[in-house]
């Protein structure tokens, strides 16, 4: 997978896995990661799927309707890639925190749905429920931040609430930051996420 890796100053800090939104690339979330943790390593990945010239992490059938076959295969591909990268770049695969926005948050959520202990924590900005009728692995003690929009046209508030409930049922510690700026990633949401990160990982 096309990606960039930036080695952090401290081996004990988490590695931040950055997953961009539709049409983004591996450079998009790097400034955000540096706000959260200047000493962390960064593994930023570009989505494998192209939709109308725009990189994504999996295919969709229409706006808000996921291609489940693509979601499942690309979730597995990304999981395997994280492990390959950990070996190549010598970071601790058990100390990875996901940072995803929109489509990137969706595949990060899918990884949490499918693999136990895949992340030490996750920051999911404007995610949707990746799959329904899926029994999650035990997520006990895993902190998850969800940035949600009360008036998000792409990700209705009901999706955020359902995702929160599903994660909590699996044992995760979920914090939801609500805003009323649609699907955009606001400074207020970023600062709330940074404060949450500092509380859990510093």
């Amino acid at each position: 997978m096309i990606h960039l890796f930036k080695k952090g100053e401290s081996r004990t800090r988490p590695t931040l896995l950055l997953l961009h939104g539709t049409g983004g690339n591996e450079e998009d979330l790097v400034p955000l990661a540096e706000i959260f943790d200047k000493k962390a390593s960064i593994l930023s990945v570009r989505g494998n799927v192209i939709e109308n010239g725009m990189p994504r992490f999996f295919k969709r059938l229409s706006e808000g309707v996921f291609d489940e076959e693509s979601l499942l295969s690309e979730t597995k591909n990304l999981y395997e890639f994280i492990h390959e990268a950990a070996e190549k770049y010598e970071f601790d695969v058990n100390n990875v925190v996901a940072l995803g926005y929109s489509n990137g948050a969706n595949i990060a959520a899918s990884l949490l749905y499918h693999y136990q202990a895949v992340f030490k924590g996750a920051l999911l900005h404007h995610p949707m429920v990746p799959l329904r009728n899926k029994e999650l692995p035990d997520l006990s003690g895993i902190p998850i931040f969800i940035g949600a929009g009360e008036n998000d046209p792409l990700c209705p508030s009901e999706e955020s609430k359902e995702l929160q409930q599903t994660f909590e049922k699996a044992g995760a510690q979920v914090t939801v930051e609500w805003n009323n700026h649609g699907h955009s990633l606001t400074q207020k949401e970023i600062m709330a996420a940074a404060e949450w990160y500092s509380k859990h990982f510093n």
Side-chain angles (χ1 to χ4, degrees):
M1 299 183 80
I2 296 171
H3 66 282
L4 65 81
F5 180 78
K6 179 183 171 189
K7 188 171 183 177
E9 293 176 28
S10 170
R11 290 180 67 88
T12 61
R13 305 299 301 144
T15 295
L16 292 173
L17 174 70
L18 309 186
L19 303 165
H20 62 78
T22 299
N25 62 40
E26 64 278 12
E27 304 281 352
D28 283 14
L29 297 178
V30 173
L32 206 57
E34 291 173 346
I35 290 171
F36 294 164
D37 194 338
K38 293 187 186 306
K39 294 185 178 180
S41 294
I42 291 170
L43 176 65
S44 190
V45 184
R46 187 188 301 183
N48 258 347
V49 171
I50 301 296
E51 180 188 273
N52 298 324
M54 299 184 296
R56 281 177 56 85
F57 285 97
F58 56 89
K59 296 175 186 175
R60 56 184 169 182
L61 303 176
S62 61
E63 189 76 67
V65 182
F66 300 162
D67 180 327
E68 288 192 9
E69 186 179 335
S70 175
L71 174 64
L72 293 174
S73 65
E74 291 301 329
T75 298
K76 182 174 183 285
N77 287 342
L78 183 54
Y79 178 78
E80 292 172 351
F81 174 75
I82 294 165
H83 283 258
E84 290 165 9
E87 191 172 329
K88 178 179 179 180
Y89 297 116
E90 300 180 333
F91 64 81
D92 183 358
V93 77
N94 297 310
N95 193 17
V96 174
V97 175
L99 168 55
Y101 169 61
S102 192
N103 181 241
N106 294 338
I107 198 154
S110 182
L111 282 160
L112 288 161
Y113 268 50
H114 287 92
Y115 300 102
Q116 187 166 8
V118 61
F119 299 133
K120 199 150 189 192
L123 298 107
L124 308 177
H125 294 278
H126 301 265
M128 293 178 68
V129 177
L131 287 168
R132 290 184 167 85
N133 304 314
K134 168 88 176 74
E135 186 175 342
L136 272 63
D138 183 5
L139 301 178
S140 295
I142 294 177
I144 297 174
F145 176 94
I146 295 176
E150 292 170 2
N151 59 344
D152 188 333
L154 300 180
C155 178
S157 59
E158 292 76 19
E159 288 271 334
S160 305
K161 291 170 185 172
E162 182 182 340
L163 192 60
Q164 176 186 7
Q165 290 165 0
T166 305
F167 280 143
E168 287 178 341
K169 190 177 174 185
Q173 302 170 4
V174 185
T175 300
V176 182
E177 172 71 19
W178 289 97
N179 68 65
N180 58 357
H181 295 278
H183 199 65
S184 60
L185 188 52
T186 63
Q187 191 69 16
K188 177 177 175 285
E189 186 176 320
I190 291 167
M191 289 302 102
E195 187 178 326
W196 175 92
Y197 182 92
S198 179
K199 176 183 171 185
H200 290 281
F201 298 104
N202 282 340

